[in-house]
């Protein structure tokens, strides 16, 4: 596991106890990067939007209590100004890869940025988004492939593993693979994580929950701790 960056945690959470329990299980397994969204970008305004500021306070509390690094999505310039330097990695979600004003704002922070590929972006558009961040001074950018939209409707998206050799050959960026949002199915996460490792990815972003069926968001793609253990075993 040493040379691969493993970022794991729930899509979102509804209570402090929930996020703390998951974080504790992850820490036990040697995972240092806890991912969890609190400012959620949901397709429907009727869906749970995250605990927002309240959730951010909980994440910052977990950071102190368990000494974990926090990876979470920020969706507005205001949030970046407020929390950008308090978290460990700023996630830019697929829907915001084209939000150039937001990219410029995270470019002013010193915090590393996990830049997710927009679900319809070409490699060049993705790299051009990274350039917006870089030009403001923040060169600490990690790219994340999270599936692109294709004609297939049985899966949430289609994982583009070709992005791994492309990014390695043409850039100096590290590339992390998110098989959870790519497939939308928990049973596909382990085989796709293995395929990503075989293709040479620099890390994985995994949606994990101690009780996936209780996830407030993306429960169909969320793996349990047992599946996570199988992926971690593959890494060793
Ligand atoms: C997430 O990681 O929780 C997320 C919403 O991802 P994406 O922006 O790739 O859909
Ligand atoms: Mn999710």
């Amino acid at each position: 596991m040493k040379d691969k960056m493993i970022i794991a945690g729930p899509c979102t959470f509804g209570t402090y106890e929930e996020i703390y329990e998951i974080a504790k299980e992850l820490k036990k397994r040697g995972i240092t990067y806890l991912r969890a969204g609190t400012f959620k970008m949901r397709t429907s305004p009727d869906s749970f939007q995250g605990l927002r500021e309240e959730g951010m306070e909980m994440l910052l509390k977990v950071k102190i209590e368990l000494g974990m690094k926090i990876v979470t999505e920020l969706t507005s310039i205001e949030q970046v100004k407020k929390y950008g330097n308090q978290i460990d990695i700023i996630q830019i979600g697929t829907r915001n890869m084209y939000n150039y004003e937001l990219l410029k704002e995270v470019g002013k922070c010193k915090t590393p940025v996990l830049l997710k590929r927009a679900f319809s972006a070409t490699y060049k558009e993705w790299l051009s988004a990274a350039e917006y961040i870089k030009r403001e001074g923040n060169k600490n950018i990690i790219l994340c492939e999270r599936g692109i939209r294709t004609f297939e409707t049985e899966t949430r998206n289609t994982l583009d593993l070709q992005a791994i050799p492309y990014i390695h050959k043409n850039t100096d960026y590290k590339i992390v693979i998110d098989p959870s949002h790519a497939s939308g199915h928990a049973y596909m996460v382990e085989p796709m994580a293995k395929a990503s490792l075989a293709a040479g990815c620099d890390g994985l972003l995994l949606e994990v929950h101690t009780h996936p069926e209780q996830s407030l968001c993306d429960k169909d793609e969320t793996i349990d701790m047992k599946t996570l253990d199988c992926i971690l075993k593959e890494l060793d």
Side-chain angles (χ1 to χ4, degrees):
M1 183 154 65
K2 289 153 204 73
D3 61 331
K4 302 285 178 195
M5 185 172 195
I6 306 298
I7 303 168
C11 184
T12 188
F13 55 95
T15 62
Y16 183 72
E17 289 67 35
E18 183 183 1
I19 188 65
Y20 183 82
E21 182 190 59
I22 299 166
K24 208 163 57 119
E25 286 300 316
L26 295 172
K27 187 178 170 166
K28 227 200 265 176
R29 289 161 169 83
I31 288 170
T32 49
Y33 290 98
L34 172 69
R35 63 133 292 140
T38 183
F39 297 106
K40 297 303 295 176
M41 297 281 288
R42 304 303 300 276
T43 303
S44 166
D46 294 327
S47 306
F48 177 58
Q49 303 286 308
L51 291 177
R52 304 183 66 82
E53 283 80 7
E54 196 192 344
M56 187 59 83
E57 296 311 321
M58 293 178 186
L59 288 175
L60 294 172
K61 193 167 165 206
V62 173
K63 178 176 161 69
I64 296 167
E65 292 205 358
L66 293 177
M68 293 183 83
K69 295 194 161 99
I70 304 298
V71 182
T72 194
E73 179 170 355
L74 298 181
T75 59
S76 72
I77 291 175
E78 192 191 15
Q79 290 161 18
V80 175
K81 285 190 201 293
K82 193 163 171 196
Y83 303 114
N85 290 316
Q86 295 187 59
I87 59 178
D88 298 280
I89 299 185
I90 302 170
Q91 180 174 318
I92 296 295
T94 196
R95 294 166 181 82
N96 269 323
M97 191 210 84
Y98 291 112
N99 186 341
Y100 301 122
E101 293 303 320
L102 182 65
L103 299 179
K104 285 195 255 177
E105 194 63 36
V106 299
K108 291 179 194 152
C109 297
K110 301 228 180 329
T111 311
V113 182
L114 185 79
L115 179 63
K116 287 197 154 198
R117 180 185 183 183
F119 53 74
S120 60
T122 62
Y123 296 148
K124 289 201 169 142
E125 287 170 333
W126 191 14
L127 294 175
S128 178
E131 195 59 32
Y132 268 98
I133 300 172
K134 222 167 150 183
R135 293 239 177 134
E136 298 297 319
N138 192 347
K139 297 191 171 48
N140 211 337
I141 302 162
I142 303 153
L143 300 177
C144 178
E145 156 64 24
R146 46 77 71 206
I148 50 173
R149 187 167 281 180
T150 66
F151 51 80
E152 185 53 71
T153 54
E154 289 293 304
T155 51
R156 188 168 174 175
N157 291 284
T158 296
L159 182 59
D160 176 17
L161 288 180
Q162 293 170 169
I164 302 169
Y166 179 86
I167 294 301
H168 285 160
K169 182 174 187 321
N170 296 289
T171 79
D172 292 327
Y173 294 120
K174 295 232 182 298
I175 174 167
V176 163
I177 300 293
D178 170 358
S180 309
H181 293 89
S183 67
H185 297 292
Y187 77 93
M188 287 188 182
V189 171
E190 185 187 345
M192 290 301 99
K194 287 180 179 170
S196 306
L197 292 167
C201 71
D202 299 293
L204 294 169
L205 182 144
L206 304 164
E207 280 193 339
V208 189
H209 199 293
T210 41
H211 304 282
E213 71 290 350
Q214 290 171 18
S215 294
L216 286 171
C217 173
D218 289 350
K219 65 155 99 61
D220 294 342
E221 69 196 34
T222 300
I223 58 168
D224 55 16
M225 293 294 158
K226 218 170 107 201
T227 310
L228 174 67
D229 287 337
C230 294
I231 297 172
L232 297 179
K233 207 165 140 211
E234 183 72 17
L235 278 168
D236 288 335

